[in-house]
């Protein structure tokens, strides 16, 4: 068994980013290697100049969902970016930007939050995933 | 090989809930243990007082997709909640609410449909998933 | 280890279809069998009469995301359908329509793009997936 948990993080809303962060932090807390591959709007959310901005929620959240998320933030729930930073400190969490999405969004690695460890292609992603679980979010 | 199929059910639209129910029922029919972990809007859809309500569809369904789904329901297609209830009767299907999402949405287990078997955290989710497939919906 | 990569393609927006095509092409380029199971709006996007039409983007793409995707297309980036056709020529990529979604959308196989190899149910999908990775998009 390859214990690595790989997350393809395509989505860019704060609720899906939080779900990804919780799955990553949970895997890391269990001592499992975690690999995150940032594509499209998931990558866009890691731009250094707006990582802490409001990235919205999926449409079905609605007004009640928005209120619940805002209340949790006010009550001190960690932001997904901080959850990921903590997971990287405590465990083996590697975050890579998808090279094709970098071109699409005209980004350089210096545009991204420092918690992004590098840029790689889909072949490297598969190679690092081995035969471990792949979770597309 | 761990034959368990684990589904992280994050999304709360009826089409994605139906897709999850079909994958769960299919796995159960093949004799595989199925574990469903309810997060965010997927969890919200299992509130006892509104599980059979209209939860909408993903945006790309559009008007034509909405009409197709409505026509199928009228023609007798099972509701996703009934598909899941049947899958639980026929096979080994366990449905757990994510404890963090329960707090976020201020829910108690008694607020949820009785087919939800319990509440657990992400560590228990990973433990139950073993090295089986994880499907994020 | 079962090297097969299975993709349940539920979503019908061009960005998610492109992400699926890249993961399929990447797997095929590495010599891995790739199985794609088309459901709902993912299936709808493979209708022969509109596969090259604009299928929109996920909501969080926004106007800036739309502009980035349009600019990439103008600069010669391959359409996801062409990426998949190429992947099928170079590797072992099998594309199956979900039989239940065919009924829902009232489609016959002749309504679909010729790159769709057949129609199957969820049991056949699981059987082909073996214990390989399953990616729900």
């Amino acid at each position: 068994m390859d214990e690595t948990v790989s997350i393809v993080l395509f989505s860019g809303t704060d609720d899906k980013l939080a779900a990804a962060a919780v799955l990553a932090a949970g895997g890391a807390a269990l001592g499992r290697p975690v690999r995150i591959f940032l594509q499209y709007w998931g990558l866009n959310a890691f731009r250094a100049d707006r990582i802490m901005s409001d990235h919205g929620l999926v449409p079905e959240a609605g007004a009640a969902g928005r209120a619940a998320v805002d209340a949790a933030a006010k009550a001190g729930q960690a932001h997904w970016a901080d959850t990921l930073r903590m997971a990287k400190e405590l465990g083996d969490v590697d975050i890579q930007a998808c090279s094709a999405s970098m071109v699409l969004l005209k980004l350089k690695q210096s545009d991204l939050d420092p918690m992004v460890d590098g840029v790689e292609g889909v072949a490297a992603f598969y190679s690092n995933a081995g035969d471990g679980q792949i979770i597309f979010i």
Side-chain angles (χ1 to χ4, degrees), chain A:
Chain A
M1 168 182 180
D2 189 332
E3 289 210 303
T4 301
V5 178
S6 296
I7 298 174
V8 182
L9 186 35
F10 169 97
S11 299
T13 56
D14 283 318
D15 45 1
K16 284 201 170 171
L17 290 156
V22 165
L23 287 169
L30 295 165
R32 299 178 60 177
V34 176
R35 302 287 169 259
I36 302 180
F37 187 55
L38 302 173
Q39 290 188 322
Y40 281 82
W41 326 117
L43 172 61
N44 200 49
F46 280 76
R47 293 166 74 132
D49 60 348
R50 62 191 82 169
I51 189 167
M52 303 304 281
S53 305
D54 176 8
H55 297 91
L57 304 174
V58 297
E60 70 258 36
R66 177 81 259 175
V69 169
D70 289 346
K74 243 187 186 162
Q77 197 191 51
H79 189 275
W80 57 263
D82 292 323
T83 302
L84 280 178
R85 286 185 193 108
M86 208 174 50
K88 280 178 73 81
E89 275 174 39
L90 296 177
D92 174 11
V93 178
D94 183 73
I95 305 180
Q96 296 286 331
C98 166
S99 51
S101 291
M102 291 292 281
V103 171
L104 178 81
L105 299 175
K106 297 189 195 302
L107 294 173
K108 303 179 299 295
Q109 198 182 336
S110 59
D111 296 324
L112 303 175
D113 186 272
M115 83 172 108
V116 179
D117 297 290
V119 178
E120 71 181 19
V122 71
F125 164 73
Y126 274 121
S127 167
N128 291 329
D131 64 350
Q133 291 141 338
I134 297 182
I135 302 174
F136 185 97
I137 297 182

